[in-house]
Amino acid sequence: MSKKKILAIVFSSLAGVLLIIGIVLAFVLNYDNNAPAAVNILDDGSKKIFKVDMNENYKGYRFNFTSDTKSFYVDSKSNVLNSSEVEALAIGSNYFVSACYLGDNEGANSKFSQPILWQACTYLKQPQITYSTVNQTLTWDSIEYADYYKIIFTGTTSGELRISKADGESLSLLDWKGGKRNFSVIACSNNLCYKSNLNSDIIEVENIYRYRGFDSEAIFNGENLTVKVSSQELYEAINIKIGILTFRLTNFVVTQSVDGTYNYTINLKPIYQSGQSMFIAPANKDNYNIYDGQYLQIK
């Protein structure tokens, strides 16, 4: 064999090897068969999020879920998957979660990441709140899987209430002292796999409280010019009408009986006018705490 022929064969073989190397390099550059890092499971307070490292050399991502009873996967164009998109999850079951990169065909997919163990949980829906000014009642949606509701309020007064789902989805403010408050309602479950959605709806409420008035006769003592009367409520101020004049009094003595009744002793010496009819009623505290009933005659 001539020298030229030998060189031709060598160069031809070398070109073939280089072509194969080029194909392999192109495949490696386009499809990195190394498995992605383990899936991150994030929590934003309203949902669970599965996240795998991004790889632009692939066309998508596959999230795999494997339990003792079944295995399934969800394909996604994004490297982030919302748990609400995984319809086959059985809440409370344990899953091994992994992910891989998707190539142009199944053979071009990457290997799966190291699986991590996760107990499937979800967030309860967020109740929508409404307020009726007619009956002064707060109402909200009935939330599936909730056992009770946590009502948080801030403003004129602040605090927290717990209402069982068995007691219904409403809260009357008729007996609340009047004022302006912000209310939020959070659905809660005794099952730890159903988490509370902390991104609650907030509603501003202005409620009016109406004093019920005195519930006994108002008895006048002509010797010491005092009047005694009782009520189930504690008032900061009392109105006394004498003739055509009305006086707002705050300096009086109040004692409380064992049964909770408030007993008022009011000194009328500074304002008393002989021969004039006298009437008594609770005085408005502010625009939210008012008395709009009838005056009680002092006898």
Side-chain angles (χ1 to χ4, degrees), residues 234-261:
L234 181 61
Y235 306 122
E236 295 183 9
I238 292 174
N239 285 338
I240 302 290
K241 279 187 179 182
I242 301 179
I244 62 172
L245 300 176
T246 299
F247 301 90
R248 178 184 172 91
L249 304 180
T250 56
N251 187 21
F252 43 79
V253 177
V254 184
T255 60
Q256 191 173 18
S257 303
V258 176
D259 63 358
T261 300

Side-chain angles (χ1 to χ4, degrees), residues 140-152:
W140 56 89
D141 301 331
S142 176
I143 302 300
E144 189 177 16
Y145 304 116
D147 294 304
Y148 63 94
Y149 303 98
K150 187 185 296 182
I151 293 86
I152 300 172

Side-chain angles (χ1 to χ4, degrees), residues 89-110:
L89 285 175
I91 302 303
S93 295
N94 291 320
Y95 292 90
F96 285 101
V97 184
S98 59
C100 75
Y101 301 128
L102 295 178
D104 289 331
N105 55 67
E106 289 295 319
N109 294 348
S110 77

